[in-house]
């Protein structure tokens, strides 16, 4: 039924809001531009590689802390957060 679907979507949305809040707190402490750059700079040979290495470091750091996070949600979150941190 549509009520059941709405409740499931609502639960998912609440869950994502909860996860987003936890991720935001985690990122404030662990994924600043300074930290990300210090961890990725040794691997970056060209400017075109910056996004790849930085985003991969962000994904791995988040996955280590939140191993059950959905891959799609993680990708979206990292894309958004990357823009906040580096642009």
């Amino acid at each position: 039924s549509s009520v059941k679907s709405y409740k499931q979507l609502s639960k998912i949305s609440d869950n994502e809001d909860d996860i987003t809040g936890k991720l935001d707190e985690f990122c404030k402490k662990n994924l600043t531009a300074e930290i990300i750059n210090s961890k990725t700079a040794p691997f970056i040979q060209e400017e075109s590689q910056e996004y790849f290495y930085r985003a991969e470091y962000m994904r791995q750091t988040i996955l280590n802390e939140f191993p059950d996070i959905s891959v799609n949600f993680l990708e979206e979150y990292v894309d958004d957060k990357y823009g906040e941190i580096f642009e």
Side-chain angles (χ1 to χ4, degrees):
S1 78
S2 61
V3 172
K4 187 175 178 185
S5 296
Y6 173 76
K7 284 183 178 175
Q8 285 175 328
L9 283 175
S10 180
K11 189 174 179 183
I12 290 169
S13 177
D14 289 348
N15 194 21
E16 285 186 357
D17 288 347
D18 188 41
I19 291 169
T20 300
K22 289 177 182 167
L23 282 169
D24 287 344
E25 281 302 306
F26 176 77
C27 289
K28 265 185 217 158
K29 296 178 184 124
N30 300 286
L31 289 175
T32 64
E34 294 78 21
I35 291 170
I36 295 167
N37 285 336
S38 73
K39 299 288 188 184
T40 59
F43 304 101
I44 297 170
Q45 306 297 313
E46 301 169 19
E47 198 174 311
S48 63
Q49 297 174 315
E50 277 182 346
Y51 174 80
F52 172 77
Y53 281 106
R54 287 171 172 172
E56 185 58 26
Y57 177 78
M58 291 170 71
R59 279 191 289 274
Q60 290 306 317
T61 302
I62 291 169
L63 270 174
N64 287 341
E65 189 69 19
F66 302 90
D68 298 332
I69 194 168
S70 101
V71 175
N72 291 340
F73 183 77
L74 177 63
E75 288 296 322
E76 226 173 273
Y77 184 83
V78 167
D79 280 348
D80 290 346
K81 190 54 75 174
Y82 187 95
E84 284 178 33
I85 295 171
F86 291 106
E87 291 167 11

